[in-house]
Amino acid sequence: GNSVTQMEGPVTLSEEAFLTINCTYTATGYPSLFWYVQYPGEGLQLLLKATKADDKGSNKGFEATYRKETTSFHLEKGSVQVSDSAVYFCARLSGNTPLVFGKGTRLSVIA
Amino acid sequence: NAGVTQTPKFRVLKTGQSMTLLCAQDMNHEYMYWYRQDPGMGLRLIHYSVGEGTTAKGEVPDGYNVSRLKKQNFLLGLESAAPSQTSVYFCASRTSGTLAEQFFGPGTRLTVL
């Protein structure tokens, strides 16, 4: 079936540290892959996306590369800020079926 | 554009009471979704709709009903609320196609006593 597995949190980092949040997906077909972010008290919003192998999505200093050979879409940022504290969700989409989300990873960045 | 809006923002119910959550979108999106979010469980899909007049069950549909009488609205009903339905409910919408961004509402926090 279709599933997404992401690393469990919480992740706590100091400001300016390097961030990686791992995400892997089941390789049924050729899904599109997404990272969504949820700030405290808000709904989810799209952070970045990639639609085919080797595509790199990027936004607000975050990046993720669609790796077909490892079925992964890890989220990275070189230097996190306190304002990046949020919950991050990896998701996959195949055809017109509903998005499948991972369980989310909570990131806390301390000054 | 208001995007995706949800009404109400907060609600407290007693066990056995009924209520309807309203989701509205002004982006002319075909697809609409209802999710619930619980600590440690991520987002779980309750019901969804791929067009006006259509609905389909998601991962956790029991205890909920939905209707999509108008394209812009998607209603989620609880006929007889239970404490297990205490959660934060999110509505979302998107256009068809695999590149389409999914837009989320701000959520409704429901407590069932």
Side-chain angles (χ1 to χ4, degrees):
Chain A
N2 297 331
S3 68
V4 173
T5 304
Q6 60 182 104
M7 63 186 284
E8 290 189 21
V11 175
T12 302
L13 295 173
S14 297
E15 210 166 19
E16 298 183 4
F18 184 85
L19 168 72
T20 300
I21 300 178
N22 290 340
C23 171
T24 57
Y25 63 93
T26 52
T28 305
Y30 299 94
S32 296
L33 301 172
F34 304 81
W35 277 101
Y36 280 80
V37 58
Q38 183 181 29
Y39 298 105
E42 299 182 9
L44 279 69
Q45 54 186 275
L46 180 66
L47 180 61
L48 54 85
K49 65 184 178 184
T51 59
K52 61 184 187 296
D54 300 324
D55 264 3
K56 178 185 283 188
S58 60
N59 186 23
K60 299 182 181 179
F62 291 89
E63 292 183 341
T65 301
Y66 191 142
R67 301 283 187 204
K68 188 165 179 283
E69 64 276 12
T70 54
T71 62
S72 65
F73 192 55
H74 304 323
L75 183 68
E76 296 181 335
K77 186 173 186 183
S79 176
V80 293
Q81 305 300 312
V82 172
S83 57
D84 294 326
S85 297
V87 181
Y88 292 82
F89 292 89
C90 186
R92 62 163 284 160
L93 181 65
S94 291
N96 287 321
T97 58
L99 268 174
V100 175
F101 288 93
K103 291 194 174 182
T105 302
R106 181 175 300 279
L107 169 67
S108 295
V109 180
I110 53 178
Chain B
N1 283 351
V4 180
T5 58
Q6 293 182 230
T7 308
K9 288 185 167 51
F10 303 94
R11 186 72 186 269
V12 178
L13 291 177
K14 294 182 179 178
T15 297
Q17 287 185 318
S18 63
M19 78 163 295
T20 300
L21 282 66
L22 171 63
C23 176
Q25 53 93 5
D26 60 2
M27 296 172 282
N28 201 35
H29 286 169
E30 293 294 327
Y31 297 176
M32 296 188 74
Y33 307 88
W34 275 107
Y35 297 88
R36 58 178 289 174
Q37 185 176 32
D38 303 292
M41 302 292 290
L43 284 169
R44 292 185 292 171
L45 182 65
I46 305 171
H47 285 280
Y48 65 102
S49 168
V50 298
E52 183 178 321
T54 74
T55 62
K57 293 180 180 180
E59 182 186 354
V60 288
D62 293 343
Y64 305 95
N65 56 74
V66 288
S67 64
R68 183 99 181 269
L69 298 179
K70 293 183 179 180
K71 187 177 184 180
Q72 63 267 34
N73 296 337
F74 195 29
L75 279 65
L76 178 70
L78 286 73
E79 288 188 351
S80 180
S84 61
Q85 294 177 305
T86 294
S87 188
V88 181
Y89 292 85
F90 288 99
C91 178
S93 71
R94 69 178 181 91
T95 59
S96 60
T98 55
L99 299 180
E101 177 179 350
Q102 188 156 306
F103 293 84
F104 284 80
T108 295
R109 184 173 294 277
L110 175 66
T111 302
V112 183
L113 302 175

